[in-house]
Amino acid sequence: NYSVAIILTASAVYTAFKKKIVIFGIITSIIVVNCALMMYNTLCKDTKITFINAGKGESVLIETGENNHILIDCGSKSSSDPTNEIFIPYFECTGIRKIDKLYISYFDDEHTNSVNFLMKKGYVREIILPEKTEISRNNILFNRNKIIDAAEKFGVKYSYIDFGSTHKIDNTCNI
């Protein structure tokens, strides 16, 4: 959307300067950029992004215009599990009954230690795991295997994503 606006703006400015109609070029540029921004805002206006502080870890919750809920990471470095203290109360308070896709960026505790509890409580429909993760420590391998085992146990679909890939969530959201 922005690339089209930039090309049209550059074209209008070039034409205006070529014909020495500076005011027309500036006004046309402003109109084209504003139209592009309005189109962008219309497509994304219903998407809500919330950063959830889980103690010594953070999560990102994306709520799309088509009522899909995407959670990126859900853990904490603290010894207590943030599921019952943070995630479940937040979901109940905001009316979230499901997480359509839970993306895990890395298998360390601050990214994962609530995954199994959320699956057990029936919140998670699908987990997206990183395809290529360097397994440098035993606890990372243990966490990955524990998540896969729990997904199979609770009937949660799981798949892998390559770094740099894009997933289409619905008509209002790509991540």
Side-chain angles (χ1 to χ4, degrees):
N1 290 351
Y2 282 114
S3 59
V4 172
I6 291 169
I7 291 168
L8 291 174
T9 302
S11 174
V13 169
Y14 175 76
T15 302
F17 280 109
K18 187 176 174 184
K19 295 183 178 181
K20 297 184 176 141
I21 311 171
V22 175
I23 300 293
F24 174 77
I26 292 172
I27 291 172
T28 304
S29 300
I30 291 170
I31 291 170
V32 169
V33 169
N34 282 329
C35 288
L37 289 173
M38 286 187 323
M39 287 184 338
Y40 178 77
N41 287 334
T42 300
L43 292 173
C44 300
K45 71 178 182 177
D46 294 329
T47 299
K48 178 181 173 186
I49 300 173
T50 305
F51 292 88
I52 301 172
N53 183 344
K56 294 183 179 179
E58 293 184 7
S59 296
V60 178
L61 177 67
I62 302 170
E63 300 171 76
T64 72
E66 294 184 1
N67 202 32
N68 285 302
H69 299 94
I70 295 90
L71 187 63
I72 302 172
D73 290 339
C74 61
S76 175
K77 278 186 178 179
S78 67
S79 58
S80 64
D81 169 39
T83 306
N84 290 321
E85 297 171 13
I86 296 167
F87 292 109
I88 302 298
Y90 181 81
F91 296 158
E92 288 175 352
C93 178
T94 57
I96 295 172
R97 295 196 171 113
K98 63 179 171 51
I99 299 297
D100 296 289
K101 294 184 186 287
L102 170 57
Y103 285 82
I104 300 300
S105 63
Y106 190 68
F107 292 108
D108 218 344
D109 287 343
E110 67 265 21
H111 302 268
T112 63
N113 70 356
S114 288
V115 173
N116 295 349
F117 297 107
L118 290 174
M119 282 192 286
K120 183 178 181 179
K121 293 186 180 278
Y123 276 94
V124 180
R125 291 191 174 172
E126 181 180 1
I127 298 177
I128 312 297
L129 304 168
E131 180 70 39
K132 297 173 185 168
T133 300
E134 182 180 319
I135 306 297
S136 57
R137 299 189 317 263
N138 285 338
N139 69 316
I140 302 298
L141 179 61
F142 176 75
N143 286 348
R144 185 190 69 182
N145 292 341
K146 191 168 72 169
I147 290 169
I148 292 169
D149 290 345
E152 290 172 352
K153 177 181 178 180
F154 298 117
V156 174
K157 180 181 167 185
Y158 67 92
S159 60
Y160 298 93
I161 187 170
D162 286 325
F163 291 107
S165 296
T166 301
H167 263 194
K168 181 173 182 164
I169 303 302
D170 58 32
N171 291 324
T172 65
C173 183
N174 290 328
I175 61 171

